[in-house]
Amino acid sequence: MERTNVNPESIFTLVSDAILVIDEQGFVVAANPASVKMIGCSTEELIGKVHFCSICTGMATSREEASCTDCFANKWNVPSFEMKIRTKGGSEYPVAASSTCLLTPSGKQVIVIMRDMSQQQKAEGERFQRQMINYVIQAQEEERKRVSRDLHDGVGQALYSILVGLKVLDQFHLEHDVKEQLENVWKLTTHALNEVKNMAVELRPSTLEDFGFLPTLRSYRKRYEQQYGIEMRLATKGHKRRYASIVETALYRICQEATINAAKYSGTSLIDIEMEDSDGTVMLTIRDYGQGFDPEQFLSQGSGLGLYGMKERAGLLGGTVAIHSVPGKGTTVQVIIPLTEKGEPRNVDPDTHSG
Ligand SMILES: Nc1ncnc2c1ncn2[C@@H]1O[C@H](COP(=O)(O)OP(=O)(O)O)[C@@H](O)[C@H]1O
Ligand SMILES: [Mg+2]
């Protein structure tokens, strides 16, 4: 790095903030190297030739129509405001600025100091988007929990009461036909009760909170094999432990999505699930041996909501989901989430998960 004595002139040339001096008519009369770089034209093209209004597209703090009436150039000093700058190349970006008015022998001049805020605004936007996705996922989980409880305690209990009533009726001396009819109703009610129980578990298995991901996956396997007639093999390596609830829920939901996709679209008769917890990461691999597909086609069109959702869930926890698929050979969905010793996600922005 070049060694320079700091003096007022060198500050003007060395600082990374853009500094412009504008005369009373609004023309640029001085520009430091950072402002030349920001606006994208040479010092010669700027000085005395460029009117500030031709590079300013409005102050963000003003209402659109009042933008020019509120202009900082008409005021004495404005310590902090935001505006948009249009570069020579035509692109626009936001800047944080301050202005200072000076009275010089040649008239009033305004010094404008500007700092490029596009990176910060982009990062802020992304953080806001992640927070929104997190809220939506959390709200969805809460809603599923509520519907699951209502199904179990409401419809489930009502059906159970009907079964008890039928049992009582059965103890009366009934004619053969009536008894047969009663048996049919009993069977139908038992079937409905089982359906409701399954739906409640499918929506949000209570074992996830009580016993964790692996035991839940084991009971999921049983239901899955029965429902779809597809064999599911489970293999585990490394530590067996509990994870933070957000991690266990994400693993379960990703597993559910990938295995249901395999059942719906791949035509496979076997699914392998491998879970490995070692070196501070949990890795879950779901493999089918079906017809395969092109994941990029769905992800780039934004149509694969299930695929997108898997990626979002892992991304929120600082992890990744990779989908590899080979036509005729099958599909592998691999989730990797870096974790702390306590089983909390290691790479998350704490703000994203506040609340
Ligand atoms: N394991 C798989 N095997 C074959 N095709 C798949 C598989 N998983 C997903 N797909 C294809 O990708 C598409 C998008 O999947 P997804 O995002 O889960 O949406 P959805 O399940 O709602 O259709 C599916 O419609 C299907 O065509
Ligand atoms: Mg799907």
Side-chain angles (χ1 to χ4, degrees), residues 80-225:
S80 170
F81 58 95
E82 286 170 28
M83 64 179 168
K84 274 205 171 142
I85 287 294
R86 190 189 298 119
T87 67
K88 190 185 171 191
S91 49
E92 281 185 13
Y93 57 86
V95 295
S98 68
S99 71
T100 312
C101 218
L102 298 176
L103 279 178
T104 70
S106 48
K108 184 184 153 195
Q109 294 194 338
V110 184
I111 304 169
V112 193
I113 302 179
M114 299 176 290
R115 176 169 295 175
D116 178 3
M117 296 299 284
S118 46
Q119 287 308 316
Q120 281 94 323
Q121 281 206 358
K122 191 164 164 255
E124 190 60 32
E126 284 169 0
R127 214 168 58 114
F128 180 71
Q129 195 187 2
R130 274 200 308 277
Q131 231 165 21
M132 282 301 116
I133 294 170
N134 186 43
Y135 288 147
V136 170
I137 287 180
Q138 275 187 10
Q140 195 186 38
E141 286 300 329
E142 285 306 315
E143 187 64 3
R144 283 179 179 173
K145 240 188 247 183
R146 192 185 62 77
V147 176
S148 168
R149 230 183 1 244
D150 284 357
L151 265 182
H152 186 271
D153 301 347
V155 188
Q157 284 305 325
L159 287 170
Y160 188 73
S161 306
I162 295 175
L163 280 179
V164 172
L166 292 175
K167 195 104 202 144
V168 173
L169 277 184
D170 197 34
Q171 284 160 6
F172 288 99
H173 192 75
L174 300 169
E175 288 193 16
H176 179 69
D177 285 0
V178 179
K179 219 170 173 60
E180 213 169 80
Q181 206 48 31
L182 196 64
E183 219 156 81
N184 275 343
V185 178
W186 168 271
K187 275 187 198 147
L188 286 172
T189 313
T190 311
H191 181 71
L193 180 60
N194 286 338
E195 288 265 293
V196 165
K197 277 187 182 165
N198 276 342
M199 274 167 80
V201 175
E202 218 49 68
L203 269 168
R204 171 87 197 178
S206 56
T207 47
L208 203 52
E209 248 141 77
D210 301 339
F211 305 109
F213 174 66
L214 260 183
T216 305
L217 182 58
R218 290 203 179 96
S219 51
Y220 176 70
R221 169 169 67 167
K222 271 192 217 146
R223 292 196 307 279
Y224 182 88
E225 289 188 329

Side-chain angles (χ1 to χ4, degrees), residues 257 260-261 264-265 305-307:
E257 178 63 32
I260 291 176
N261 273 354
K264 284 203 294 196
Y265 310 117
L305 276 188
L307 303 178

